């Protein structure tokens, strides 16, 4: 079993990992030693704080170990991806890959002899999606019937919320004036629309008025944020998205939980003060990356029914 996108998992599989994530947080000692002697390979083509560290620490807490490989200091850039992944998998029990392109995640998954987790590509971020639904369930007490507004660029994180929503009965409204072309997944949106769990809205205030949760993410892919060659595009996006920033004015008195997958670009998609707003569950969400990551490791290792 792999985790490339939550589209590939059944509702029962998502529910199992969700329950184990919550149990992991409530009583982590119960899972001591469950990955004893096992090795997780972490291959990263992009930077990371949460995904990398929650995976390394999570694996250690479960009694196993994780080994981090930075793409730039390996021979992945010299060779065929499938050959290098196959070799890596011969030394590992599990693998997590953060690769730029979804097509490469699929190639890696096909080549690996061990289960693979997608640690975020240009189309999906399923580990984030699982931590997100765990956080909403914890904060609100349920997922079925929850209405979430996603505001910003329609990207990999938005896609994973929609995919998770379909599995747990959570409705997602996209207030997304622009879709990242690499992330566009019409089949996913069509399926979510068909089951009444996805729609689109231009008016952020109108969407917030009927939402339990609002969620935003960066307007610009991380790797471009400080790239001088991206300056013109960056200015265009900042102008387009500025009215959609989460701040005291746009949030008003709406009774919504506020989420962000982090890293936050304070003063861009979110005003810095909002991270610590009483309605914010952003740092619970970040903490839950650890608990849910450990549950996914157990699931892929075949330790959960
Ligand atoms: N949200 C998230 O994936 O964070 P990192 O990029 O730091 O892993």
């Amino acid at each position: 079993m792999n985790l490339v996108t939550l589209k590939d998992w059944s509702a029962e599989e998502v529910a199992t990992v969700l329950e184990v994530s919550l149990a992991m947080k409530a009583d982590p000692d119960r899972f001591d030693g469950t990955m004893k002697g096992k090795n997780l390979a972490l291959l990263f083509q992009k930077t990371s704080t949460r995904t990398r560290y929650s995976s390394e620490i999570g694996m250690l807490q479960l009694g196993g170990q994780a080994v981090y490989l930075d793409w730039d200091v390996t021979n992945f850039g010299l060779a065929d991806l499938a050959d290098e992944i196959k070799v890596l998998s011969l030394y590992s029990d599990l693998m997590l890959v953060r690769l730029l392109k979804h097509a490469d995640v699929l190639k890696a998954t096909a080549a690996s002899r061990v289960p693979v987790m997608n640690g975020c590509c240009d189309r999906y971020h399923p580990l984030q999606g699982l931590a997100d639904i765990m956080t909403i369930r914890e904060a609100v007490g349920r997922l079925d019937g929850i209405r979430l507004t996603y505001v910003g660029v329609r990207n990999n994180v938005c896609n994973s919320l929609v995919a998770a929503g379909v599995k747990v009965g959570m409705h997602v409204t996209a207030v997304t004036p622009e879709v990242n072309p690499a992330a566009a997944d019409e089949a996913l949106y069509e399926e979510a629309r068909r089951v009444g769990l996805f729609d689109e809205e231009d008016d952020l205030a109108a969407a917030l008025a009927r939402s339990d949760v609002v969620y935003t993410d960066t307007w610009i892919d991380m790797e471009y944020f400080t790239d001088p060659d991206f300056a013109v595009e960056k200015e265009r996006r900042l102008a387009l998205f500025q009215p959609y920033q989460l701040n005291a004015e746009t949030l008003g008195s709406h009774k919504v939980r506020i989420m962000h997958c982090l890293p936050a670009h304070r003063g861009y998609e979110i005003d810095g003060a909002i991270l610590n707003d009483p309605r914010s569950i952003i740092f619970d969400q970040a903490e839950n990356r650890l608990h849910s990551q450990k549950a996914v490791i157990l699931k892929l290792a075949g330790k959960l029914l």
Side-chain angles (χ1 to χ4, degrees):
M1 179 181 204
N2 300 302
L3 178 54
V4 173
T5 159
L6 290 170
K7 294 197 305 183
D8 299 338
W9 279 24
S10 68
E12 291 71 23
E13 286 165 338
V14 171
T16 298
V17 166
L18 181 60
E19 292 309 321
V20 174
S21 303
L22 293 162
M24 190 72 77
K25 187 170 186 175
D27 184 11
D29 293 350
R30 194 179 126 198
F31 299 91
D32 273 359
T34 42
M35 290 300 289
K36 188 169 186 299
K38 303 295 182 189
N39 185 52
L40 168 65
L42 301 169
L43 174 65
F44 280 66
Q45 205 175 20
K46 292 171 75 175
T47 57
S48 169
T49 303
R50 280 145 289 274
T51 306
R52 174 183 173 176
Y53 198 60
S54 64
S55 301
E56 291 195 28
I57 293 301
M59 197 64 184
L60 283 173
Q61 290 178 354
L62 294 169
Q65 62 175 344
V67 175
Y68 175 77
L69 293 106
D70 178 340
W71 178 277
D72 290 331
V73 294
T74 63
N75 284 331
F76 273 88
L78 303 177
D80 187 84
L81 175 67
D83 293 342
E84 295 295 277
I85 287 283
K86 183 173 173 180
V87 172
L88 204 55
S89 74
L90 297 174
Y91 314 148
S92 310
D93 300 290
L94 289 172
M95 198 180 301
L96 185 152
V97 296
R98 173 169 283 194
L99 302 176
L100 293 169
K101 292 186 167 52
H102 182 61
D104 282 342
V105 177
L106 294 175
K107 194 170 178 181
T109 306
S112 175
R113 301 282 178 89
V114 298
V116 174
M117 286 168 260
N118 177 2
C120 185
C121 64
D122 54 4
R123 277 203 130 188
Y124 307 110
H125 196 352
L127 296 169
Q128 184 67 55
L130 288 168
D132 295 341
I133 58 172
M134 174 190 175
T135 308
I136 297 166
R137 164 77 182 277
E138 197 178 46
V140 186
R142 66 191 166 88
L143 288 164
D144 190 37
I146 288 294
R147 295 187 70 92
L148 179 147
T149 289
Y150 180 90
V151 57
V153 181
R154 197 177 312 171
N155 62 6
N156 46 9
V157 170
C158 180
N159 284 350
S160 291
L161 286 164
V162 176
V166 168
K167 307 298 175 182
V168 300
M170 177 179 78
H171 182 280
V172 176
T173 296
V175 181
T176 50
E178 195 157 290
V179 179
N180 179 349
D185 185 347
E186 292 306 329
L188 169 66
Y189 313 140
E190 194 46 48
E191 171 60 12
R193 256 188 226 106
R194 190 185 66 76
V195 296
L197 292 171
F198 179 70
D199 64 8
E200 291 154 277
E201 169 68 78
D202 296 329
D203 184 341
L204 176 58
L208 291 180
R210 50 179 189 266
S211 293
D212 305 290
V213 180
V214 63
Y215 194 125
T216 194
D217 184 16
T218 183
W219 295 335
I220 297 170
D221 288 341
M222 295 186 255
E223 63 269 30
Y224 297 126
F225 210 78
T226 55
D227 182 347
D229 294 339
F230 198 67
V232 173
E233 173 61 6
K234 181 175 170 181
E235 289 312 310
R236 185 192 70 80
R237 289 207 194 176
L238 296 187
L240 174 66
F241 284 101
Q242 190 58 41
Y244 300 92
Q245 183 191 74
L246 293 187
N247 56 38
E249 189 183 342
T250 53
L251 286 164
S253 58
H254 290 295
K255 290 186 173 55
V256 283
R257 288 352 195 260
I258 301 163
M259 299 183 75
H260 190 307
C261 56
L262 301 181
H265 304 88
R266 289 169 175 249
Y268 293 94
E269 73 274 4
I270 189 165
D271 181 87
I274 298 301
L275 273 82
N276 294 309
D277 186 281
R279 295 167 290 182
S280 167
I281 52 174
I282 291 169
F283 292 103
D284 299 317
Q285 182 186 359
E287 181 193 333
N288 288 339
R289 289 295 308 273
L290 173 64
H291 309 298
S292 58
Q293 180 62 29
K294 290 164 74 179
V296 173
I297 287 169
L298 293 185
K299 180 69 183 167
L300 265 61
K303 308 277 185 187
L304 306 179
L305 291 178

